[in-house]
Amino acid sequence: MHADLVFLGGKVVTVDAEFSVASALAVTGGTISAVGGRDDVAPLVGPDTRVIDLRGATLLPGINDSHLHGCAFGMATPPLSLDVGHPAVSSLADVAEAVREAVGRAPAGQWITGHGWDPGYLDECVADPSRQPSRHDLDAVSPDHPVVLYSFSGHATWVNSRALELMGVDRDTVAPPGGAIVADESGEPTGLLHEGAQDLVQNALPPLSRQERTDAVRSALATLARLGVTSYTEPGLGPGGDGIMRGALGAETLDVYRELLAGGELTARVGVLLLPTGMASTSEEFARALAAAGDSGDADPRRLAVLGVKVFADGVVPNKTAWMHEPYVGGGCGSLCVGGETDAERTAEIGAMIRHAHAAGHQLGIHVTGDRAIDTVADAFAAAMAEHPRPDARHYVIHGDFLTAHSMKVLAAHGFGVNMNPTIKWTVADMEEEFVGAGRAAYAWPYRDALDAGVRVASGSDAPVTHPDWRQGVATMMLRESKAAGRVSGPEQRIGLAEALRTYTIDAAWQDFADQWKGSLEPGKAADLCVLDGDLLTADPHDIPEMPVVLTVMDGQVVHDTLRD
């Protein structure tokens, strides 16, 4: 059978066990049919074969972003939302101006939404760390339109006075469990809502329509195709996501993915973690919700699959809600964010959730960032495995910012993994020092130590927290340089190019239980491909983020193409 596509004259980076490099590759149907040199693919060239001369470009496995909120990412980007992240804005004044312009375009009373603000990149907040975004910054430009602006991390929301009014929030409002309504010295809400308190604004917003969800996922898929991303994990869809970003993580979004697949529009493979409950839930609530959770139906499991279950164990460092062994700068250690009044009760609750899902046969991905919380989760994984032995469960910790030597040992011993976020490291490296000090900030996302300990490491963008640009992720893993200042943060945690690429390809496929059929360029594997203009193997790491993605192929079908044959 003749090939559909043949690539010649490039660097075919196979990411196989030896990280071998070939010069030619052939695709027949949705499968890689040959890898090697010109002579290996020449017999497969027929009259209808598209032959592509790479001219020295780099052919890689399709990129697998192993932690990316597709619907939320589509919602959070223009034209569906205001961009109030760096570099689109540099100050509170810039944010106010963007809101003012949006108000001028909006019908009376319409909610104004935006995403991406980060106090580490707002001039007024940088000059005075005690100066945080406030409702007053927005009231002057939007007294009548309710405004809701989501932070880059997704763990804080900034609203104006009109939004607070519609939410029914005032000085006497009690925050939901696991959340905080930030108040000023006089006790009045400032307009900042942390963690579970964000549910208050979600309950006031009109829920996303099916069309809005569909448009958001389509927008995300188009962007990902241009970036060479052919697979991603949608980490948390279900009842626990109904209150997050107008329900972008709700169960209805899984139905949208099913419809797009049925209509031939799903241009990336999607693995889903179910989110039965949100923060501050109990193990009993979790068990009931998990029993009622759905699946991917009769979808092709290589295109759309429910892989496991997500649980939130703690928060994030910038909000001081990650559970740490040592106090933050200024005090406090955070806590687990599940039900319970004491650390002991919450530890028991997270352990019960993990034990229940493990015994039921689910893979677990646990959002956990603080070192004490990570140790708690890793030990709970091990305890669940001891009680109910299961081969190849592939549980993993999500984010793992402050992964400890103890946790690495436990994860490696049981074949568990960690999903790290190099583009978040790049974004927050400078800012984190004010929360955890220079030493801990430099250590955050310890790639080198984790790989050396034998832990399987996958990388994800956590979009819309950061843009899903794996090229920046690879550069950051190699350089450990920060976005704001460009200074090195934790040079001892640098890893090499081959190791970095594995986290976005074969080891991300391992997380999906799919490393036997995708994630590397080997005959018989799925034809998911990404072509990067230039020689990645010899490029200066600083130049990698600017190397264009010129072709993306998913399942043998070209989904992005700027090549000229």
Side-chain angles (χ1 to χ4, degrees):
M1 184 180 296
H2 291 143
D4 300 307
L5 295 170
V6 164
F7 297 87
L8 301 168
K11 298 290 181 69
V12 180
V13 180
T14 65
V15 197
D16 62 8
E18 291 75 36
F19 202 75
S20 57
V21 180
S23 62
L25 178 143
V27 172
T28 305
T31 303
I32 296 169
S33 49
V35 180
R38 181 179 293 268
D39 291 345
D40 297 299
V41 301
L44 300 176
V45 176
D48 297 323
T49 302
R50 180 182 177 186
V51 179
I52 298 172
D53 184 354
L54 292 169
R55 300 183 181 91
T58 305
L59 179 61
L60 298 166
I63 301 303
N64 190 336
D65 190 315
S66 52
H67 188 88
L68 182 152
H69 304 276
C71 182
F73 173 55
M75 273 184 57
T77 51
L80 303 179
S81 177
L82 290 179
D83 182 357
V84 291
H86 179 82
V89 300
S90 300
S91 64
L92 294 171
D94 287 347
V95 174
E97 177 60 20
V99 170
R100 185 192 65 77
E101 292 178 359
V103 166
R105 300 189 297 266
Q110 178 176 297
W111 286 78
I112 306 298
T113 62
H115 294 77
W117 63 269
D118 178 350
Y121 294 95
L122 297 174
D123 291 344
E124 299 90 340
C125 301
V126 173
D128 177 7
S130 67
R131 171 69 161 99
Q132 290 295 295
S134 163
R135 60 190 171 94
H136 301 299
D137 297 312
L138 305 175
D139 289 349
V141 294
S142 186
D144 302 317
H145 290 263
V147 179
V148 53
L149 306 177
Y150 302 97
S151 73
F152 82 98
S153 71
H155 290 258
T157 301
W158 171 19
V159 300
N160 68 344
S161 294
R162 179 58 177 151
L164 288 172
E165 179 184 343
L166 292 174
M167 292 157 53
V169 172
D170 58 25
R171 63 184 299 125
D172 299 318
T173 304
V174 177
I181 301 171
V182 180
D184 61 22
E185 294 179 354
S186 67
E188 293 293 335
T190 66
L192 287 183
L193 308 170
H194 288 170
E195 305 297 352
Q198 298 176 102
D199 289 350
L200 296 169
V201 70
Q202 294 304 318
N203 293 336
L205 282 163
L208 282 177
S209 68
R210 178 64 69 92
Q211 189 60 53
E212 285 175 314
R213 293 173 196 268
T214 302
D215 290 344
V217 175
R218 283 177 174 143
S219 174
L221 289 169
T223 299
L224 295 174
R226 292 192 294 270
L227 289 168
V229 176
T230 57
S231 293
Y232 64 92
T233 300
E234 176 78 70
L237 297 179
D242 286 340
I244 301 175
M245 291 184 69
R246 297 175 61 196
L249 306 190
E252 191 176 346
T253 299
L254 182 54
D255 293 333
V256 169
Y257 278 113
R258 295 188 187 104
E259 290 175 358
L260 290 172
L261 175 59
E265 295 185 73
L266 198 58
T267 54
R269 304 181 192 276
V270 180
V272 174
L273 295 183
L274 298 175
L275 186 62
T277 57
M279 295 182 181
S281 63
T282 67
S283 55
E284 290 183 359
E285 292 168 340
F286 175 79
R288 287 196 300 269
L290 183 58
D295 57 30
S296 50
D298 58 358
D300 179 350
R302 290 195 175 196
R303 302 294 293 274
L304 177 64
V306 171
L307 300 171
V309 177
K310 180 179 181 179
V311 176
F312 283 100
D314 68 350
V316 294
V317 169
N319 289 346
K320 297 188 177 181
T321 50
W323 196 27
M324 305 293 286
H325 284 297
E326 300 296 327
Y328 291 97
V329 175
C333 290
S335 69
L336 295 174
C337 66
V338 295
E341 297 300 319
T342 67
D343 287 339
E345 289 177 0
R346 289 186 286 267
T347 296
E349 286 293 294
I350 194 70
M353 291 179 185
I354 289 171
R355 185 168 59 252
H356 179 83
H358 171 83
H362 298 287
Q363 181 191 42
L364 280 154
I366 309 292
H367 168 110
V368 60
T369 61
D371 50 15
R372 189 173 180 184
I374 296 169
D375 283 347
T376 300
V377 167
D379 288 342
F381 280 166
M385 184 69 84
E387 186 174 340
H388 298 279
R390 269 179 58 197
D392 207 25
R394 303 196 191 187
H395 302 322
Y396 61 100
V397 296
I398 296 171
H399 305 310
D401 308 26
F402 294 99
L403 199 66
T404 67
H406 168 76
S407 289
M408 293 178 199
K409 183 177 180 180
V410 172
L411 295 174
H414 292 86
F416 301 144
V418 60
N419 187 292
M420 292 190 183
N421 314 108
T423 47
I424 301 182
K425 171 65 180 179
W426 177 63
T427 302
V428 305
D430 296 304
M431 179 183 67
E432 280 204 329
E433 290 190 11
E434 66 183 89
F435 301 106
V436 296
R440 283 189 288 180
Y443 176 80
W445 289 281
Y447 271 91
R448 178 77 276 149
D449 285 1
L451 290 174
D452 288 348
V455 180
R456 191 78 69 127
V457 182
S459 288
S461 63
D462 202 11
V465 174
T466 65
H467 194 65
D469 194 336
W470 62 276
R471 298 166 300 179
Q472 181 60 61
V474 167
T476 298
M477 285 184 268
M478 297 175 71
L479 297 168
R480 299 282 291 196
E481 291 178 355
S482 67
K483 178 180 179 180
R487 61 191 180 91
V488 175
S489 177
E492 67 281 356
Q493 297 299 337
R494 288 170 172 154
I495 63 175
L497 175 64
E499 295 167 312
L501 288 175
R502 288 189 190 282
T503 72
Y504 276 117
T505 53
I506 192 65
D507 288 337
W510 172 89
Q511 180 184 289
D512 291 347
F513 295 92
D515 48 316
Q516 294 303 307
W517 59 268
K518 73 173 184 178
S520 60
L521 303 182
E522 299 177 81
K525 282 198 165 185
D528 297 349
L529 315 171
C530 167
V531 178
L532 198 63
D533 196 17
D535 186 351
L536 179 62
L537 299 179
T538 60
D540 184 322
H542 294 91
D543 296 332
I544 292 174
E546 302 304 320
M547 297 178 72
V549 174
V550 293
L551 186 75
T552 305
V553 175
M554 198 282 290
D555 202 34
Q557 301 298 310
V558 175
V559 295
H560 166 67
D561 187 359
T562 61
L563 273 176
R564 297 293 178 266
D565 296 349

